[in-house]
Amino acid sequence: MSTAEIAAANIISQSPGYLVSDMDGEKVMLSIETGKYYNLGQIGGRIWELIAAPTSLTDLVGQLVEEYDIGPEACEQQVHPFLNKLAAEGLIQVRSGHELE
């Protein structure tokens, strides 16, 4: 699936194969396969935690809106490009919501 196709109903989950650690409140990751290092930051780290179990973009944004002082539209506008970057790096898996039915 192209990263541009991430939609509200898509199911997003972590891709396996990464060592994850907390460093001063931020999530950092190391790809076991490629040796690449990623710093997700504090909110990116929270997103990573929330997608430990498969979740939809809609549910993810809803949870972040509850936890942070941000409106749903602004949250989605920020989360969507972040998820696109994670998908482009292979850090997340994106599936149609219909695949779970």
Side-chain angles (χ1 to χ4, degrees), residues 40 44 47-48 51 81-92:
L40 299 181
I47 291 170
W48 184 257
I51 62 172
F82 178 74
L83 292 175
N84 282 337
K85 289 179 186 176
L86 294 182
E89 289 289 329
L91 298 173
I92 61 171

Side-chain angles (χ1 to χ4, degrees), residues 20-65:
V20 182
S21 182
D22 285 311
M23 291 185 73
D24 297 323
E26 297 186 355
K27 285 267 190 272
V28 292
M29 302 169 54
L30 177 68
S31 168
I32 296 168
E33 186 177 316
T34 67
K36 279 183 96 172
Y37 165 83
Y38 302 91
N39 183 343
L40 299 181
Q42 188 173 21
I43 295 174
R46 180 62 183 138
I47 291 170
W48 184 257
E49 290 171 353
L50 291 171
I51 62 172
T55 190
S56 71
L57 177 59
T58 302
D59 290 344
L60 176 61
V61 168
Q63 183 65 40
L64 292 170
V65 166

